[in-house]
Every structure is written in structure tokens, then in C-alpha cells.
Amino acid sequence: AQAMVLVQVEEVAFVPNLFTPNGDGKNDALLIYGLTQASQFQFRIYNREGSVVFETNDVASATGRGWNGFVNGTRQPSGVYYWKVEGQTITGT
């Protein structure tokens, strides 16, 4: 018997809506998951006053290291932070 299978791989990114940078080794950084390539990429995180607390133009940094909750060596307070991701995937989306 023979069969044909079409495998369609889609790149879908996911950013969690919370993280716990408390040093316990679990969810200590805010990362982008599932993204491997993008052009004109930018990932920014803002505090509730609108100040940028983290920024990167490097996909590998956003997916591998992310933001650890510190700014200039100072742990930021618990609270609401906003993020924005811009860029274009290899499929043009």
C-alpha cells in the first residue's frame, strides 16, 4: 500500500500572559515561544507608566533569554506590564 501525506508546518508564536521572576527556576523570564525567524523584529515590554523596561531586536534573545524582570540590575515590582511584538515571519505574516 502507498499513501501520500502532506505536512504543513506553520510558525505560530505565543507570549504568556504572566511570569514569576522569583528565582525558583520556573517561569523566571518572559519569553516568546514558537518563533524561529522574523525580519524587522522588535519585542518591547512596558511598565504601567508606559516606560520601556525591556527591548530587543534579536529573535534569539526574545525566545531564549527574554526579560528576567530586572531593569539596570533592579528587580521591578509585581504588577501589570504590557508587551508589543512587531515583525514579519518568513511566510509574510
Side-chain angles (χ1 to χ4, degrees), residues 17-35:
N17 60 5
L18 61 94
F19 75 117
T20 56
N22 58 7
D24 69 354
K26 299 176 185 175
N27 301 314
D28 284 335
L30 183 61
L31 304 167
I32 297 176
Y33 294 92
L35 186 63

Side-chain angles (χ1 to χ4, degrees), residues 51-65:
S51 298
V52 176
V53 295
F54 177 80
E55 179 176 24
T56 185
N57 296 325
D58 180 34
V59 173
S61 175
T63 59
R65 195 174 66 240

Side-chain angles (χ1 to χ4, degrees), residues 2 5 8 15 21 23 25 29 38-39 45 47 52 84-85 87 90:
Q2 290 183 347
V5 176
Q8 195 168 19
V15 181
S39 60
I45 301 173
N47 63 17
V52 176
K84 183 177 182 181
V85 177
I90 57 175

